Amino acid sequence: MNHKIIFATLCCLPFISFAQEDEEKSPITASAELGMLYKTGNTKSADIKTGFDVKYEEALWRSTLAFDLLVKKTETTDVDGNEEFDTSDQKWTVESKTNYTLDKNSKNYIYGNISYEDNRFSSFENQSSISAGWGREWFKNKKASLFADIGPGYKRDVIKATNTIESKTESAFIIQAQALYLRKINEHVNFKQLLSAKYAPGSGDNSKYKAETSITTKLIETLALKFSFILDHNTEVDEGTDRTDTQTAMTLVYSF
């Protein structure tokens, strides 16, 4: 059998669902979220936040795929006095991660992670990274769990052109560390805390840090209300650009 076919099959295995003779709980779960804000009056603006998450968890595999999009449009007046909506903020990210537990009796796992971000109003055209390493499920019970991992990786930043410099691409070796804490506060409320660091040890290289906190409250069986706060920090940015961006949102989440 062709080795390329075997490799592709192994890569896709965590997201493949096989038909079972007996009815069982699907190893794949998914959710989609949407939040909107429209303002009128002295300032008119429209904000849209949407995204989806897919998770596969069975036997020794745990895989996730997440997509997030934020668009903000603000009313402006052109030179002719006409009012129109212009995009004042736009950001989208996609990230995939797969953990493979080394054996059934072990809490240690190896992981692979890949991410891509396009932020129109930052110093970067886009930022991408890939890493692999070792992790551990430090504890898990009926109410809470904590995963943490670390490994080497590679990062690529495409820096935007300005009036004084041309667009350029910077690549760097990174050490990536991540921690994920999940807690079920009660039957209807869940808490999530994610911390991520992409440390570039090279002199002058950009390091990126992220913190995401969210609380999800179930409204009905498949619908929930989510409050989230995200902090992104880059150590090396253009002069006049903030190193830290924050995002606070309230969205509806549909699980299926």
Side-chain angles (χ1 to χ4, degrees):
M1 184 179 287
N2 190 299
H3 292 295
K4 292 183 178 179
I5 296 177
I6 296 175
F7 179 73
T9 302
L10 290 174
C11 290
C12 297
L13 183 60
F15 292 103
I16 297 176
S17 176
F18 295 96
Q20 303 290 331
E21 293 182 1
D22 301 325
E23 287 191 9
E24 298 177 357
K25 183 179 179 181
S26 172
I28 298 178
T29 57
S31 64
E33 64 178 277
L34 176 65
M36 300 180 66
L37 174 63
Y38 184 75
K39 295 171 62 178
T40 61
N42 294 322
T43 301
K44 294 182 180 180
S45 65
D47 298 43
I48 298 176
K49 185 183 186 310
T50 186
F52 68 82
D53 292 274
V54 180
K55 182 171 71 173
Y56 174 96
E57 189 169 7
E58 188 175 46
L60 304 179
W61 293 96
R62 176 185 170 90
S63 298
T64 58
L65 174 65
F67 171 79
D68 186 78
L69 170 66
L70 172 68
V71 178
K72 181 181 180 68
K73 290 185 176 289
T74 305
E75 186 182 58
T76 59
T77 303
D78 62 19
V79 292
D80 297 323
N82 299 316
E83 295 181 345
E84 57 185 8
F85 277 93
D86 285 336
T87 301
S88 55
D89 196 6
Q90 179 174 299
K91 175 183 177 182
W92 65 271
T93 61
V94 60
E95 182 170 8
S96 179
K97 183 180 181 182
T98 294
N99 298 350
Y100 178 75
T101 305
L102 297 178
D103 62 74
K104 292 182 179 179
N105 300 318
S106 172
K107 293 185 177 181
N108 299 314
Y109 60 85
I110 55 175
Y111 82 90
N113 178 268
I114 185 169
S115 67
Y116 179 89
E117 178 180 298
D118 187 301
N119 190 346
R120 183 184 293 187
F121 292 89
S122 71
S123 296
F124 308 95
E125 290 284 352
N126 57 73
Q127 295 177 280
S128 56
S129 68
I130 185 170
S131 72
W134 168 88
R136 181 176 175 84
E137 183 183 63
W138 293 97
F139 71 81
K140 184 177 183 180
N141 54 41
K142 293 182 179 180
K143 288 190 175 182
S145 61
L146 174 64
F147 298 84
D149 47 61
I150 188 169
Y154 175 83
K155 178 175 66 67
R156 179 176 178 270
D157 294 341
V158 180
I159 301 173
K160 285 183 177 178
T162 66
N163 294 331
T164 56
I165 62 173
E166 296 182 351
S167 175
K168 61 180 180 178
T169 300
E170 293 185 348
S171 302
F173 165 81
I174 61 171
I175 299 173
Q176 180 165 308
Q178 299 177 99
L180 173 64
Y181 176 71
L182 303 171
R183 183 171 185 84
K184 187 173 183 178
I185 298 175
N186 57 44
E187 185 180 355
H188 303 287
V189 181
N190 293 307
F191 173 82
K192 173 183 175 181
Q193 179 66 63
L194 173 66
L195 300 174
S196 173
K198 299 177 182 179
Y199 171 67
S203 176
D205 289 337
N206 177 54
S207 297
K208 186 172 183 178
Y209 304 94
K210 179 178 181 179
E212 178 180 349
T213 306
S214 67
I215 294 178
T216 305
T217 304
K218 184 184 292 186
L219 302 177
I220 57 176
E221 188 62 28
T222 58
L223 191 65
L225 187 63
K226 178 181 176 182
F227 300 88
S228 63
F229 175 78
I230 299 174
L231 183 149
D232 282 308
H233 179 81
N234 287 277
T235 59
E236 302 293 331
V237 297
D238 289 339
E239 185 177 350
T241 302
D242 292 335
R243 288 188 173 91
T244 303
D245 292 325
T246 63
Q247 176 185 309
T248 304
M250 180 174 66
T251 55
L252 286 173
V253 180
Y254 176 73
S255 301
F256 51 92

